[in-house]
Amino acid sequence: MSANANTSANAAASMVKPMSSRPGLWARLRRNHLAVFGIVIVVLVSLTALCAPLLPLPDPDATALSDRLQKPFSENHLLGTDHLGRDILSRVVWGTRVSLAVGVVATLIAAITGSLIGIVAGFYGRWLDNLLMRSIDMVMAFPYMLLALAIVAVLGPGLMNALFAIAIVNIPFFARSVRGVTLGLVRQEYVDAARLSGLTDVRILGGEILPNVMPVIIITMSTTVGWMILETAGLSFLGLGAQPPQADLGSMLGEGRKLVITAPHVATIPGLVILILVVGINLLGDGLRDVLDPRLKSGALVRPAAATEVDQAVRSAGVEDSVERDAVLSVSNLKTHFITGQDVYKAVDGVSFDVRPGECLGIVGESGCGKSVTALSLLGLVPTPPGRIVSGRVDFEAQNLLAAPLETLRAIRGGKMAYVFQDPLTTLNPLFPVGEQIAESIREHQGLSGKQALQRAVTLMEQVQIPNAKDRAHAYPHELSGGMRQRIGIAMALANDPQIIIADEPTTALDVTVQAEILKLLDTLRKEKNVAVIFITHDFGVVSELCDRVLVMYAGRVVEAASTEDIFSRPLHPYTQQLMACVPRLGQADKVVAAIPGIPPAVNDLPQGCAFADRCELAQDACRQGEIALERFGENRAARCIRIDEAGA
Amino acid sequence: MSALLECKNLYQAFGGGRKLLGPAKPKIQAVSDVNLQIQRGQTLGIVGESGCGKSTLARMLVGLDLPSSGDIYFQGKDLVEVKRDNPRWLRQQIQFVFQDPLSSLNPRKTIRQILEAPLRHLLNKSPTERQDRLQELMQAVNLRPEFLDRYPHEFSGGQSQRIGIARALAAEPDVMILDEPVSALDVSVQAQILNLLRDLKQQFNLTYVFISHDLAVVENLCDTVAVMYLGRVVESASREQLFNDPKHPYTRILLSSVPVAGQKKTASVSLQGELPNPAAPPPGCAFAPRCYRAEAKCRESRPPLEHFDDTGRKVACYFAEDSDLHDGDTQS
């Protein structure tokens, strides 16, 4: 089910994204309390270090042997003195200044050099990439500290040399991560577009690629500074960095080491400062990474609940359904809203329909009209947050699914009611053979043994007309073509003798010839097994191949419901009419396609009255006032329009 | 009349060779022996299913990729030489519209920066000229001028594609290569873009190469059409000929597979089997393993793309003359 949740999360994200603007960097960072704590530490420590010359501190290098090894809180020496009688507070402040400066400068050197190498290697590729990255590999082949020691050994001890050593050792981290990101960016179409706009390579690198790599560089920098400070301290501790009498946190630690027993405070105090500083920097770095990492923007790390949240009022309708129905599934007044901050996106807003056994119901509409969310709501597969079912009933097998407990939903998902999604490559697990994945669903629902389940899986694969089903059962998803993968998807849906298959744009990603086969297959199967199908699509052509009845949706509502025959011979709603007229049809070459002006309204800001009024030629004042009801026209038809007479039906 | 843009025996292969110390990499022939002529002011449609090489061909026509062998001539000049000697002129003459409107716009640049780039770097316009031209461009693609200072993520798919078209138009090109420009759009928006493309063509006297998998869209917009299968052109003809009387079995199956609103096709010819492995294509006609009409000679030698009649129509099939091919029942 995780795959399903994923798809629905994507659906929701794509629906919500264009309308909400993300809060700024600072606002998002501020929400992370640990990061704010980190910022406070870093700012305090840096300010103190920066202001060292202004503070009333004694000379950090002034020795006074008579005052040696004073304890903290002694007179004139707040943090005591070291073995040469130097004031520790003063030395710590000046030492932090040196350590911070070395850490930051080393990070900058490593970041600039490493990013340059990474970006050039990623952009030009081929032999240059090989040359640069293999050199980087050579640097990485040596143990980290050992290499730094070797570099210092060659250059001679000293703070500047330690700085270079640490910078060089850290170049590979920048080079590798920047190259990885650049490789992905170079294949982006906007880089090609920039080339076609006459930009030179240098301009493309600086203007198109660098700004998009910058977040990665900043993330790597913020997580490296802490390390760099520790490493400088390490080198100084070993006597290879700062040379006496210069104070630096590492060298202070080194000097205090010999006195740990007699005067522990000499080593403890610089040690504590290093700890606090590095912890502060790392907290800030983690916070920055969370804010800048593109994977977190989509909310991918927010784990949705196992079932969509349902309002108490909806639950209180009870699970039992005492009404005798001839429909296998009956949905009434379903409302699913997405709630993000202040905004309420009414993705589905009062949808009702029945599906009879063996019937194929088409749900047609453009992206964002709520057709997928409707389908996902039936079994609580809309991710929460941000999804929420706020009204309605879904009656299936004498149960109101919206009020049913999670176990009931789990048993029905992939069992009596099964989904087929648009792109089988994202819904199949790439790590397991396809036969096993079908078998897993059978084992789960029917309790068959592994061997029996696999046998049944092969039979199912034969039913969906996969040649050499027995061999193909051992194939991994990537080894199959798009059409074959979709057949696997259908086989999985059929695995537990469902009463309803919900197919969400199952042929949209496929080539026309493959689409024709899949449609034929679905049609045959549903007649053979008497399975009802809810078929979600944007393509009226596909509808006429397969469906008995059609719902047309617009901005979260059904605007027209009719039999397939009626809807093509006599569409009632102006939206249905225009949606049909704006698609070029094969064999009608000279027909000028009549585009619908404008774009659908945002579902968090729906206009009064008819949502289509702003794009409709027939709209009048009355269309923009009050609720417009879905009115019945004859036995099996309904349309949500007050101008049907004028619409020329 | 000589063609404005012409390809001769064009080949493009990916992979091949071997890695250092590694095994040989499979060589995939993405485009094989393609010959096409595009006349000034015409729209040439290139159709085919995924993996047929149509996008690779498009990238070669605009000079983004260089062919492995064969030549492309633009106004009689060798495109590879022009790209080397005068790349700016080439960029200015032939422009490209991408499939995915969002990924073809840099998310960190404003629309103004995106549209100004070709004006500055290709046409050397002064800041005031650029300012005027930006207004014209936005008007040409029906976008409000105040959108210029916004970022791509603030636009819908259709609006983004208008910006992509404006970017291509900015260079004042002769030829526009359109790679699936409406596939990523909703149907109601798709129609807006198709109508816009038709208007722009008239207004600026453009020549289009229109790549698509959607046959209805191609029929709606194109004058001549080439059908590709596994890297080769299998049929090319005028729109009327191709859609009313397809000759190649693949074209026929392709056309009969398209679902048409309001029609239920009960006995359409369907395609058997799967696309052959492009790294190891069959020896004869690449379509033979899936063809209802194939005979032994189809599997032995490849039928050349030959003139079918004197109208310029070409078909690569030994049985193109057969007239009773429509009958789907002949499949075995």
Side-chain angles (χ1 to χ4, degrees):
Chain A
M1 274 303 131
S2 71
N4 294 357
N6 242 333
T7 323
S8 50
N10 290 343
S14 66
M15 210 209 68
V16 173
K17 196 193 102 204
M19 299 162 229
S20 73
S21 58
R22 276 186 317 127
L25 187 87
W26 171 240
R28 278 177 293 150
L29 197 58
R30 215 173 39 191
R31 267 187 241 151
N32 185 339
H33 296 293
L34 278 176
V36 173
F37 184 58
I39 292 174
V40 171
I41 292 177
V42 172
V43 168
L44 275 181
V45 172
S46 321
L47 263 183
T48 319
L50 272 178
C51 297
L54 306 175
L55 298 175
L57 292 168
D59 181 358
D61 298 334
T63 55
L65 287 172
S66 55
D67 280 346
R68 63 196 296 264
L69 295 181
Q70 298 228 2
K71 296 255 174 296
F73 306 112
S74 56
E75 201 182 339
N76 296 332
H77 302 290
L78 189 60
L79 295 179
T81 56
D82 68 359
H83 62 293
L84 295 175
R86 295 176 294 199
D87 183 69
I88 291 186
L89 176 65
S90 167
R91 282 183 75 75
V92 159
V93 172
W94 283 93
T96 309
R97 197 174 147 94
V98 173
S99 291
L100 256 181
V102 171
V104 170
V105 173
T107 307
L108 282 176
I109 295 177
I112 293 170
T113 326
S115 306
L116 197 69
I117 293 175
I119 216 171
V120 167
F123 185 71
Y124 288 100
R126 294 166 189 262
W127 64 269
L128 192 60
D129 181 33
N130 260 326
L131 182 78
L132 288 171
M133 292 327 282
R134 293 303 81 79
S135 319
I136 292 291
D137 286 350
M138 270 159 62
V139 175
M140 292 200 81
F142 294 99
Y144 196 66
M145 207 60 191
L146 208 64
L147 184 62
L149 284 175
I151 295 171
V152 177
V154 172
L155 297 175
L159 200 57
M160 281 310 279
N161 293 345
L163 187 155
F164 284 128
I166 285 160
I168 291 171
V169 170
N170 278 292
I171 286 175
F173 295 102
F174 287 93
R176 290 175 74 126
S177 49
V178 168
R179 172 181 173 268
V181 180
T182 310
L183 273 182
L185 291 175
V186 168
R187 289 190 180 78
Q188 291 282 329
E189 289 182 340
Y190 63 76
V191 174
D192 281 335
R195 264 198 199 107
L196 292 172
S197 297
L199 266 63
T200 55
D201 282 358
V202 176
R203 278 184 191 278
I204 292 177
L205 276 175
E208 309 285 326
I209 294 183
L210 187 63
N212 288 295
V213 178
M214 216 51 201
V216 179
I217 299 178
I218 292 174
I219 291 166
T220 319
M221 272 171 75
S222 66
T223 45
T224 329
V225 178
W227 269 109
M228 299 266 200
I229 289 173
L230 283 181
E231 283 155 18
T232 328
L235 284 181
S236 293
F237 179 83
L238 296 172
L240 298 171
Q243 297 301 306
Q246 191 178 28
D248 152 84
L249 295 174
S251 59
M252 289 176 69
L253 204 61
E255 286 161 5
R257 177 180 53 114
K258 296 163 226 151
L259 309 163
V260 165
I261 308 292
T262 49
H265 69 276
V266 180
T268 314
I269 291 167
L272 271 178
V273 174
I274 294 179
L275 178 77
I276 292 170
L277 182 60
V278 172
V279 164
I281 290 175
N282 285 350
L283 286 178
L284 171 63
D286 284 356
L288 269 180
R289 190 199 52 212
D290 288 356
V291 168
L292 290 174
D293 195 325
R295 274 172 308 167
L296 292 151
K297 283 180 190 165
S298 61
L301 288 197
V302 182
R303 254 199 25 207
T308 315
E309 242 174 52
V310 179
D311 271 4
Q312 199 47 48
V314 181
R315 284 197 180 278
S316 63
V319 179
E320 268 130 80
D321 173 33
S322 49
V323 185
E324 281 284 315
R325 298 171 194 277
D326 55 355
V328 56
L329 176 79
S330 172
V331 176
S332 63
N333 198 29
L334 176 71
K335 291 187 182 179
T336 306
H337 293 177
F338 289 94
I339 297 156
T340 56
Q342 305 281 313
D343 288 326
V344 178
Y345 295 88
K346 298 179 177 172
V348 176
D349 202 33
V351 168
S352 308
F353 60 88
D354 285 351
V355 185
R356 284 181 279 278
E359 179 187 44
C360 179
L361 174 74
I363 302 183
V364 187
E366 296 178 87
S367 47
C369 74
K371 53 192 194 300
S372 294
V373 179
T374 304
L376 292 171
S377 300
L378 302 181
L379 283 177
L381 289 171
V382 178
T384 301
R388 204 175 167 82
I389 295 171
V390 296
S391 145
R393 270 187 86 91
V394 174
D395 291 306
F396 177 71
E397 293 206 312
Q399 279 180 310
N400 175 10
L401 295 185
L402 293 187
L406 183 60
E407 299 85 75
T408 315
L409 293 181
R410 279 223 172 101
I412 297 174
R413 288 174 183 173
K416 294 270 180 224
M417 211 190 274
Y419 286 87
V420 178
F421 290 103
Q422 177 172 342
D423 184 3
L425 198 55
T426 58
T427 46
L428 291 172
N429 188 330
L431 297 178
F432 294 96
V434 289
E436 220 158 275
Q437 296 190 47
I438 304 174
E440 187 200 354
S441 148
I442 299 170
R443 279 204 310 272
E444 196 71 28
H445 284 275
Q446 300 177 18
L448 291 182
S449 75
K451 208 171 169 193
Q452 285 170 312
L454 201 61
Q455 242 164 26
R456 170 111 174 88
V458 173
T459 319
L460 282 163
M461 285 170 70
E462 278 161 2
Q463 279 180 13
V464 294
Q465 296 162 21
I466 292 177
N468 307 329
K470 216 165 182 158
D471 296 334
R472 292 282 176 98
H474 302 295
Y476 290 89
H478 71 268
E479 296 173 317
L480 300 175
S481 67
M484 283 302 149
R485 283 198 291 263
Q486 197 53 288
R487 284 170 196 269
I488 299 288
I490 295 171
M492 266 172 114
L494 288 173
N496 300 300
D497 299 312
Q499 297 193 346
I500 300 183
I501 292 180
I502 298 166
D504 190 352
E505 304 254 13
T507 60
T508 308
L510 305 176
D511 282 322
V512 274
T513 53
V514 183
Q515 165 171 294
E517 287 179 81
I518 296 286
L519 291 178
K520 215 187 239 181
L521 174 70
L522 270 175
D523 204 34
T524 323
L525 287 173
R526 84 170 166 108
K527 281 173 183 152
E528 258 171 33
K529 299 183 178 258
N530 200 30
V531 188
V533 176
I534 298 179
F535 197 94
I536 296 169
T537 180
H538 65 275
D539 187 342
F540 273 114
V542 174
V543 169
S544 39
E545 289 286 322
L546 201 66
C547 299
D548 304 314
R549 229 153 37 87
V550 188
L551 301 179
V552 181
M553 283 187 72
Y554 188 77
R557 294 176 155 203
V558 174
V559 293
E560 180 159 4
S563 71
T564 308
E565 226 169 87
D566 286 344
I567 208 145
F568 287 113
S569 62
R570 211 166 57 93
L572 290 181
H573 198 282
Y575 175 64
T576 317
Q577 295 170 357
Q578 294 197 39
L579 196 60
M580 285 180 182
C582 75
V583 189
R585 275 192 214 175
L586 209 59
Q588 299 176 13
D590 300 317
K591 189 184 90 170
V592 179
V593 287
I596 307 177
I599 52 171
V603 287
N604 61 338
D605 185 23
L606 286 174
Q608 276 271 319
C610 175
F612 186 61
D614 285 341
R615 304 173 77 187
C616 181
E617 288 169 4
L618 298 169
Q620 24 173 249
D621 289 346
C623 296
R624 297 195 173 84
Q625 285 157 15
E627 247 340 61
I628 288 162
L630 188 66
E631 259 181 83
R632 292 208 151 273
F633 289 87
E635 182 79 354
N636 284 316
R637 302 202 68 169
R640 198 186 288 276
C641 180
I642 55 173
R643 303 267 295 154
I644 295 286
D645 302 336
E646 285 77 6
Chain B
M1 182 176 138
S2 73
L4 181 62
L5 189 63
E6 185 173 11
C7 7
K8 279 195 178 149
N9 310 90
L10 211 54
Y11 284 85
Q12 175 71 283
F14 294 115
R18 54 173 65 236
K19 277 190 157 177
L20 193 66
L21 306 175
K25 289 187 281 184
K27 184 174 180 174
I28 290 172
Q29 199 69 46
V31 169
S32 307
D33 198 15
V34 167
N35 294 281
L36 287 172
Q37 296 191 330
I38 299 133
Q39 309 294 341
R40 186 180 285 277
Q42 293 254 303
T43 300
L44 168 71
I46 298 177
V47 287
E49 297 183 281
S50 47
C52 75
K54 53 190 193 300
S55 288
T56 311
L57 178 62
R59 289 177 63 87
M60 284 194 283
L61 288 179
V62 78
L64 277 173
D65 289 336
L66 295 180
S68 315
S69 75
D71 298 302
I72 305 171
Y73 295 100
F74 175 65
Q75 296 184 356
K77 300 185 197 70
D78 186 340
L79 193 102
V80 177
E81 276 172 30
V82 177
K83 194 192 168 193
R84 195 182 51 221
D85 300 336
N86 195 356
R88 276 179 30 169
W89 181 77
L90 178 69
R91 300 278 183 247
Q92 193 258 304
Q93 294 292 315
I94 309 180
Q95 272 295 335
F96 198 87
V97 175
F98 294 87
Q99 170 172 5
D100 183 347
L102 263 184
S103 81
S104 64
L105 304 176
N106 187 341
R108 291 178 195 272
K109 286 197 161 182
T110 62
I111 306 311
R112 182 186 299 279
Q113 287 171 313
I114 290 168
L115 293 184
E116 263 191 343
L119 300 177
R120 240 170 90 183
H121 301 292
L122 294 175
L123 302 174
N124 282 334
K125 288 200 187 276
S126 71
T128 43
E129 285 175 320
R130 292 206 294 259
Q131 196 53 40
D132 295 343
R133 183 79 179 118
L134 284 180
Q135 305 289 331
E136 279 173 33
L137 282 171
M138 292 299 271
Q139 211 160 34
V141 297
N142 296 330
L143 284 177
R144 289 212 294 276
E146 60 261 34
F147 287 173
L148 276 171
D149 293 305
R150 297 206 190 163
Y151 286 89
H153 73 265
E154 298 176 59
F155 294 95
S156 69
Q159 288 170 327
S160 303
Q161 194 57 292
R162 285 173 196 272
I163 295 163
I165 293 170
R167 192 195 56 74
L169 272 182
E172 299 168 24
D174 265 4
V175 181
M176 284 217 317
I177 316 283
L178 305 137
D179 187 6
E180 305 256 14
V182 296
S183 316
L185 305 176
D186 258 325
V187 283
S188 76
V189 181
Q190 171 179 313
Q192 294 172 5
I193 298 293
L194 286 177
N195 290 341
L196 173 70
L197 286 172
R198 190 179 287 121
D199 293 345
L200 292 174
K201 186 181 169 220
Q202 284 248 291
Q203 201 178 337
F204 298 105
N205 194 21
L206 296 166
T207 304
Y208 284 161
V209 177
F210 190 92
I211 318 272
S212 180
H213 70 278
D214 188 333
L215 290 150
V217 167
V218 167
E219 189 187 19
N220 192 265
L221 203 72
C222 300
D223 304 309
T224 52
V225 184
V227 182
M228 287 184 75
Y229 185 77
L230 212 70
R232 290 175 188 272
V233 174
V234 295
E235 180 162 6
S236 71
S238 73
R239 175 184 68 186
E240 291 78 18
Q241 287 173 330
L242 192 106
F243 284 92
N244 298 337
D245 182 22
K247 292 293 177 194
H248 196 283
Y250 177 63
T251 318
R252 293 180 172 174
I253 290 179
L254 208 55
L255 284 174
S256 76
S257 303
V258 181
V260 178
Q263 285 176 29
K264 182 153 175 132
K265 300 175 184 172
T266 37
S268 61
V269 190
S270 84
L271 201 49
Q272 305 294 306
E274 290 177 56
L275 198 71
N277 180 0
C285 172
F287 188 60
R290 308 170 77 185
C291 181
Y292 55 87
R293 187 66 179 83
E295 289 181 10
K297 70 171 171 179
C298 300
R299 295 184 186 95
E300 280 154 18
S301 66
R302 179 184 308 120
L305 185 67
E306 280 176 338
H307 278 285
F308 178 77
D309 49 27
D310 49 11
T311 59
R313 168 170 218 175
K314 291 180 185 174
V315 187
C317 179
Y318 290 126
F319 305 105
E321 312 270 350
D322 288 15
S323 55
D324 58 341
L325 275 178
H326 291 283
D327 197 351
D329 299 333
T330 50
Q331 61 179 299
S332 50

